[in-house]
């Protein structure tokens, strides 16, 4: 490994060779990490930004490497899940990835159906090794079916406390209602050191998580102002501050009222790092500062992007401040991380920066004529070129939708792959940072990266400080993993034969397809196989030992779906795009925005009764004519499901229970209790009953 060292020594008595030897293991580990542990990202391109009951959600999937965002050849299987507002997985697609791409769709016809914000998330199993935060997730508004077909001005959504789902099951954690004004501080690099000036970024939000504009000041014990500040963009701003002795307070002003906050605690010793990647396009300015109480120390500085080590150097911090520059020309477009660490591999300071290389493709579309009649065939020509106007041959996806009454969308493939997949938290308008390459946008983006605390890559794992345990490897097909255990005590059964039969029936051609495979369990009773099939197949598994069928239990590893994500209230707002490409709120926030779900449900329910003309308890009907019709069993089932509080697919529920290692046999009471914690068992004499306990 070739190492280029930037050395600035004011105390040459330090043993240089010894220092290099201490930092070399971390440099080696960082260099090899991206080669040995590559990561993947997923992006889904949807056909629309908002949907109605009964609609199809069509999507094209792109699976790319996190290092250079090129189509990935690692995983061959993608999992795409549809979650209802309560956080339940109501539909799932297992898609075959070819050349980093695949596509699929969902139909919004699940029963019981209720409108709200549905989540679509996508991931490979391999991505789960790095935490649930790395998976693709998108909230989509789904409205009630318009009363008049085609009237898409109607955007009615069930409103139970603006978020809750009434009596429907709720697995997703509800967003937290915060204070009216929330102000959080983020010292650049991570810490405030006593007596050392550093830049402090801040973020101001209301109780729903929306950014607000504030002004304020830092005051000492005598209420003397030490520095003033104001928000610059989307509730974020920055000020320079030097921690000192005595108690310091922050007084912020919002809507004519004053609010008081505490600053983060400062440390008596340590380092502060300031960076500047905005002033010069070819270099990054870095300053490392300390106070007189902090001993001189040799430190390492690295720049990482996409899990790959790009630059590194050593600096000897003997005085109170040292400044140097690092090359920025080789950084790829997107988020990079600057890390200052010591000889024990511990992070002292770190910082995210963004580089924009303007490497985007120029895509132009041309139609045959300026306007078309409804349902008339539209012919379009596309030209794709790079920034040098050279033609580019590539595969792309296109969505065409009615621009009138369109739900505004403020993200796209660039915002997601280059920015949002590298940070955590809600950003109201990520597309703003890609609209123009001017100082205002670049400064606002720099502030955003200062307040987002999550890092996609674990420094300790990359630097070899902690081992990385990979539970899943990139799948090379539809993989089935499981284990064979005894029926009662769940003792692993090694060296038994597992037979697998796959069956598919072609209804149109009246043909059947099938094939069988056999496996021997290992010492832990485990087995696995990979199949390359498409469409719907039935799988039959059986266990034999010494040629005889055994009633052992087969537990499959199918319970890997992540927990539903917790969202902010601000993320569940509908904006309608207008002609100038801006957006406006679809509706004003009601007074009971944060009211109790049950109370909001009663209000909505009573309102619906009033509008239907059923506001009295007793109604006298003058005359009724009853005409009998043959009852349809299928129609009765549909009506019962569509009006139910909860509907369960028993086969699927039993599979989940068995995959979790629990045995319930034919006990329907245990089945109901296992499916829903709101079921409970009561004993009356010799009989046992199961009833449902409503959460309200």
């Amino acid at each position: 490994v070739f190492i280029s060292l930037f050395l600035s020594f004011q105390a040459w008595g330090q043993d240089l060779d010894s220092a290099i030897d201490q930092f070399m293991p971390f440099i080696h580990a960082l260099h090899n990490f991206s080669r040995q542990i590559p990561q993947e990202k997923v992006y889904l391109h949807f056909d629309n930004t908002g949907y109605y009951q009964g609609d199809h959600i069509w999507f094209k999937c792109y699976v790319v490497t996190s290092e250079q965002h090129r189509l990935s050849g690692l995983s061959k299987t993608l999992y795409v899940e549809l979650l209802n507002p309560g956080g339940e997985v109501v539909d799932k697609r297992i898609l075959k990835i070819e050349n980093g791409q695949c596509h699929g769709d969902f139909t919004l016809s699940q029963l019981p159906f209720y409108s709200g914000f549905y989540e679509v998330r996508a991931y490979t199993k391999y991505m789960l090794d790095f935490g649930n935060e790395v998976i693709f997730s998108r909230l989509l508004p789904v409205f009630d079916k318009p009363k008049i077909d085609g009237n898409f001005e109607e955007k009615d959504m069930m409103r139970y406390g603006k978020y809750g789902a009434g009596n429907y099951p709720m697995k997703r954690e509800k967003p937290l209602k915060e204070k009216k004004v929330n102000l959080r501080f983020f010292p650049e690099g991570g810490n405030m050191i006593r007596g050392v000036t550093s830049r402090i970024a801040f973020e101001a939000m209301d109780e729903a998580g929306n950014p607000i504009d504030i002004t304020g000041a830092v005051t000492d014990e005598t209420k003397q102002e030490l520095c003033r500040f104001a928000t610059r963009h989307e509730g974020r701003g920055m000020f320079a501050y030097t921690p000192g002795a005595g108690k310091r307070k922050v007084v912020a002003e919002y809507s004519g009222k004053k609010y008081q906050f505490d600053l983060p605690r400062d440390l008596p010793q340590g380092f502060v790092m300031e960076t500047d990647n905005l002033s010069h396009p070819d270099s990054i300015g870095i300053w490392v500062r300390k106070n007189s109480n902090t001993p001189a120390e040799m430190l390492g500085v690295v720049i990482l992007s996409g899990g790959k080590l790009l630059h590194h150097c050593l600096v000897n911090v003997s005085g109170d401040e040292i400044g140097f520059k690092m090359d920025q020309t080789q950084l790829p477009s997107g988020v990079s991380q600057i890390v200052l660490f010591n000889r024990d591999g511990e992070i002292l300071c770190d910082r995210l920066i963004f580089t924009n290389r303007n490497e985007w493709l120029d895509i132009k579309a041309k139609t045959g004529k300026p306007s078309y009649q409804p349902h008339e065939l539209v012919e379009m020509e596309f030209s794709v070129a790079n920034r040098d106007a050279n033609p580019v041959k590539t595969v792309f996806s296109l969505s065409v939708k009615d621009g009138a009454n369109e739900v505004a969308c403020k993200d796209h493939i660039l915002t997601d792959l280059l920015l949002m997949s590298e940070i955590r938290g809600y950003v109201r308008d990520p597309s703003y940072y890609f609209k123009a390459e001017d100082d205002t946008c670049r400064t606002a983006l720099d502030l955003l990266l200062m307040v987002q605390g999550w890092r996609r890559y674990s420094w300790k794992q990359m630097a070899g400080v902690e081992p990385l345990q990979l539970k899943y490897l990139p799948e090379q097909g539809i993989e089935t993993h499981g284990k064979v255990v005894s029926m009662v005590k769940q003792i692993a059964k090694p060296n038994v034969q597992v037979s697998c039969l796959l069956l598919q029936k072609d209804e149109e051609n009246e043909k059947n397809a099938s094939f069988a495979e056999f496996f021997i369990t290992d010492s832990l009773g485990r087995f696995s196989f990979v199949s390359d099939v498409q469409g719907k197949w039935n799988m039959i598994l059986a266990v034999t030992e010494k040629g005889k069928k055994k009633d052992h239990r087969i537990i499959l590893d199918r319970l890997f779906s992540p927990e539903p994500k917790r969202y902010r209230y601000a993320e569940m707002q509908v904006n309608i795009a207008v002609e100038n490409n801006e957006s406006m709120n679809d509706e004003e926030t009601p007074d009971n925005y944060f009211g109790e779900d049950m109370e909001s449900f009663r209000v909505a329910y009573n309102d619906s009764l009033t509008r239907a003309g059923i506001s009295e308890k007793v109604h006298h009907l003058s005359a009724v004519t009853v005409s009998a019709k043959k009852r349809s069993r299928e129609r009765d089932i549909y009506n019962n499901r569509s009006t139910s509080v909860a509907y369960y697919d028993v086969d699927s529920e039993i599979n989940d229970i068995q995959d979790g290692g629990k045995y319930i046999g034919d006990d329907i009471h245990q089945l109901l209790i296992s499916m829903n914690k709101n079921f409970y068992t009561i004993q009356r004499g010799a009989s046992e009953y199961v009833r449902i306990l409503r959460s309200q």
Side-chain angles (χ1 to χ4, degrees):
V1 181
F2 175 75
I3 303 177
S4 60
L5 301 177
F6 177 92
L7 301 174
S8 177
F9 295 112
Q10 296 177 3
W12 287 94
Q14 187 172 1
D15 188 345
L16 176 59
D17 293 335
S18 175
I20 293 177
D21 290 341
Q22 289 175 317
F23 282 95
M24 277 298 295
F26 306 118
I27 301 299
H28 274 297
L30 293 169
H31 179 79
N32 293 326
F33 184 84
S34 63
R35 295 180 177 181
Q36 299 173 351
I37 314 292
Q39 289 196 32
E40 297 173 313
K41 293 182 181 180
V42 176
Y43 176 77
L44 265 59
H45 180 196
F46 294 96
D47 67 316
N48 214 329
T49 55
Y51 298 87
Y52 289 84
Q53 178 183 5
D55 281 354
H56 284 277
I57 300 177
W58 300 92
F59 51 85
K60 174 70 177 289
C61 312
Y62 297 92
V63 184
V64 301
T65 60
S66 60
E67 179 185 342
Q68 294 181 325
H69 299 107
R70 294 179 178 174
L71 294 175
S72 172
L74 291 175
S75 297
K76 299 296 188 292
T77 303
L78 183 70
Y79 300 87
V80 185
E81 297 171 336
L82 176 67
L83 286 75
N84 65 16
E88 298 178 301
V89 178
V90 294
D91 209 349
K92 185 175 185 177
R93 297 287 181 268
I94 303 176
L95 304 176
K96 182 179 180 180
I97 304 173
E98 295 181 305
N99 299 321
Q101 303 170 71
C102 53
H103 60 86
D105 69 287
F106 292 117
T107 303
L108 295 167
S109 59
Q110 294 77 22
L111 293 175
F113 176 89
Y114 57 100
S115 57
F117 287 89
Y118 281 67
E119 178 188 4
V120 177
R121 62 188 187 189
Y123 56 91
T124 64
K125 262 192 183 181
Y126 180 57
M127 292 173 64
L128 299 179
D129 287 320
F130 307 99
N132 295 343
E133 294 87 355
V134 305
I135 72 174
F136 174 88
S137 174
R138 179 68 51 81
L139 269 186
L140 297 171
V142 178
F143 307 103
D144 294 322
K145 189 174 182 179
K147 300 178 181 65
I148 301 175
D149 288 341
N151 182 16
F152 299 121
E153 291 185 2
E154 291 186 27
K155 287 182 168 52
D156 295 328
M157 186 180 292
M158 188 177 73
R159 188 185 303 182
Y160 295 166
K162 201 68 175 184
Y163 169 75
N167 289 324
Y168 293 104
M170 179 62 67
K171 292 186 177 180
R172 192 190 305 277
E173 286 189 86
K174 292 181 61 175
L176 294 175
K177 177 188 175 183
E178 300 191 80
K179 298 178 181 178
K180 187 174 182 180
V181 175
N182 301 277
L183 188 58
R184 297 180 177 88
F185 302 95
F186 304 88
E188 184 174 15
N191 297 312
M192 294 194 308
I193 307 302
R194 192 164 304 161
V196 180
T197 301
S198 60
R199 299 191 300 180
I200 312 297
F202 64 89
E203 184 177 44
M205 297 181 295
D206 63 13
E207 64 266 44
N210 290 307
I212 56 177
D213 291 328
I214 65 168
T215 58
V218 180
T219 62
D220 60 15
E221 292 177 321
T222 64
K223 298 184 179 181
Q224 181 74 25
E225 288 189 1
L226 303 177
C227 62
R228 292 198 60 82
F229 59 84
T231 52
R232 298 183 184 180
H233 178 74
E234 294 285 3
R236 303 181 191 96
M238 182 175 59
F239 59 91
Y241 171 68
T242 305
K247 198 170 183 180
R248 309 291 176 92
K249 288 288 185 181
V250 175
V251 179
E253 185 171 339
Y254 172 65
S255 295
K257 294 184 179 180
K258 292 185 177 181
Y259 301 85
Q260 189 168 284
F261 301 91
D262 293 323
L263 282 168
R265 185 173 64 91
D266 57 82
L267 302 178
Q269 292 182 343
F271 296 89
V272 167
M273 181 176 69
E274 180 180 333
T275 63
D276 177 16
N277 67 306
L278 304 179
S279 300
H280 303 282
D282 57 348
S283 63
I284 304 171
I286 301 176
W287 294 266
V288 179
R289 303 186 182 99
K290 69 178 185 66
N291 58 18
S292 57
N293 297 326
T294 304
E297 189 173 355
M298 177 81 74
L299 301 176
V301 181
V302 298
I303 301 181
L304 310 166
S305 180
K308 182 179 181 180
L309 175 64
L310 298 180
H311 299 297
H312 52 278
C313 69
L314 299 181
V315 292
N316 185 38
V317 187
S318 56
D320 291 341
E321 177 180 319
I322 182 172
F324 55 96
K325 291 184 178 182
M326 298 186 75
D327 185 19
Q328 189 178 192
T329 59
Q330 301 303 314
L331 298 186
S333 294
V335 175
S336 299
Q337 182 181 7
I338 303 175
V339 178
L340 179 74
F341 64 102
N342 62 18
R343 63 190 65 204
D344 294 324
E346 298 173 338
I347 288 185
L348 304 179
C349 302
D350 77 322
R351 172 80 150 81
L352 296 182
I353 62 173
F354 190 89
T355 303
N356 188 348
R357 294 286 169 215
N358 289 321
E359 300 167 324
W360 329 134
L361 296 177
D362 181 22
I363 303 177
K364 296 179 180 179
K366 181 180 179 182
T367 57
K369 55 184 182 178
S371 62
Y372 293 84
Q373 297 298 317
H375 306 293
E376 183 181 357
L377 179 65
V378 178
E379 294 184 353
M380 302 181 70
E381 294 181 358
F382 293 91
S383 64
V384 183
N386 59 20
R387 62 179 179 179
D388 298 324
N390 295 320
V392 174
K393 183 179 180 180
T394 185
V395 176
F396 66 96
S397 54
L398 171 73
S399 64
V400 180
K401 51 186 177 290
D402 189 352
N405 301 302
E406 176 189 4
V407 174
C409 181
K410 297 181 179 180
D411 48 46
H412 44 71
I413 190 169
L414 292 180
T415 64
D416 205 273
L417 292 182
L418 297 184
L419 178 62
M420 298 308 299
S421 60
E422 297 286 343
I423 63 177
R424 181 175 58 187
Y426 169 63
V427 179
R428 183 164 66 172
D429 185 6
S431 63
Y432 167 82
Y433 307 105
F434 292 79
K435 289 178 180 178
E437 182 63 10
D438 56 28
D439 291 341
T440 302
C441 285
R442 294 175 66 203
T443 301
L445 179 54
D446 200 50
L447 278 174
L448 171 66
L449 295 179
M450 288 183 69
V451 304
Q452 300 288 0
W454 178 70
R455 304 293 185 262
R456 182 182 181 91
Y457 304 92
S458 169
W459 164 263
K460 291 185 177 181
Q461 293 174 349
M462 292 183 64
V465 178
E466 289 183 354
L468 173 62
Q469 300 294 335
L470 293 179
K471 185 177 180 180
Y472 305 107
L473 295 177
E475 292 184 293
Q476 300 307 299
I478 299 180
E479 299 185 2
T480 302
H481 302 266
K483 63 181 178 179
V484 179
V485 298
S486 59
M487 183 62 69
V488 179
K489 296 185 179 181
Q490 298 192 41
I491 299 174
K493 307 299 292 185
N495 301 319
V496 298
Q497 186 182 71
V498 179
S499 61
C500 171
L501 178 64
L502 289 174
L503 299 169
Q504 185 184 46
K505 187 173 182 180
D506 189 342
E507 299 288 351
E508 295 182 0
N509 301 320
E510 298 182 353
K511 293 181 180 180
N512 296 332
S514 66
F515 63 88
E517 293 192 40
F518 301 89
F519 319 96
I520 302 297
T521 59
D522 62 14
S523 60
L524 300 176
R526 299 195 61 82
F527 65 91
S528 64
F529 69 96
V530 180
S531 56
D532 185 8
V533 295
Q534 290 185 338
K536 238 178 211 185
W537 291 71
N538 293 323
M539 182 175 65
I540 301 174
L541 297 173
V543 179
T544 57
E545 191 173 5
K546 296 180 180 180
K548 295 182 180 180
K549 185 178 179 180
K550 290 293 183 179
D551 291 331
H552 296 318
R553 293 177 58 194
I554 300 176
I555 301 176
L556 298 178
D557 299 337
R558 292 182 292 184
L559 298 180
F560 54 83
S561 183
E563 291 296 317
K565 184 179 179 180
R566 188 180 209 170
Y567 287 96
R568 290 178 178 269
Y569 283 106
E571 295 178 80
M572 292 173 285
Q573 296 177 357
V574 176
N575 297 321
I576 305 302
V578 292
E579 292 182 358
N580 59 2
N581 293 325
E582 297 178 354
S583 62
M584 60 180 180
N585 289 330
D586 184 40
E587 53 189 26
E588 295 296 328
T589 302
D591 293 337
N592 63 344
Y593 188 96
F594 297 107
E596 295 295 330
D597 286 349
M598 190 57 192
E599 183 60 31
S600 300
F601 167 75
R602 288 172 181 157
V603 172
Y605 179 70
N606 292 332
D607 181 59
S608 65
L609 291 181
T610 302
R611 284 190 276 110
I614 311 176
S615 57
E616 300 177 8
K617 294 183 178 180
V618 180
H619 293 267
H620 298 279
L621 303 180
S622 55
V624 177
T625 301
V626 179
S627 56
K629 290 184 179 180
K630 183 179 178 180
R631 297 187 61 176
S632 168
R633 181 174 179 273
E634 291 77 11
R635 189 65 186 173
D636 287 345
I637 293 175
Y638 179 87
N639 290 336
N640 289 335
R641 290 181 185 176
S642 62
T643 57
S644 298
V645 170
Y647 163 66
Y648 300 97
D649 183 341
V650 175
D651 285 340
S652 176
E653 295 287 347
I654 291 179
N655 286 337
D656 289 345
I657 294 170
Q658 292 176 344
D659 292 344
K662 188 174 181 180
Y663 179 73
I664 59 174
D666 297 328
D667 191 340
I668 191 173
H669 300 149
Q670 287 299 318
L671 172 63
L672 293 173
I673 294 172
S674 300
M675 290 192 308
N676 191 329
K677 64 181 180 180
N678 289 324
F679 285 106
Y680 68 100
T681 306
I682 61 174
Q683 186 81 27
R684 288 185 179 176
S687 301
E688 188 177 46
Y689 301 87
V690 175
R691 293 186 174 182
I692 187 168
L693 175 65
R694 294 188 177 181
S695 58
Q696 282 81 8

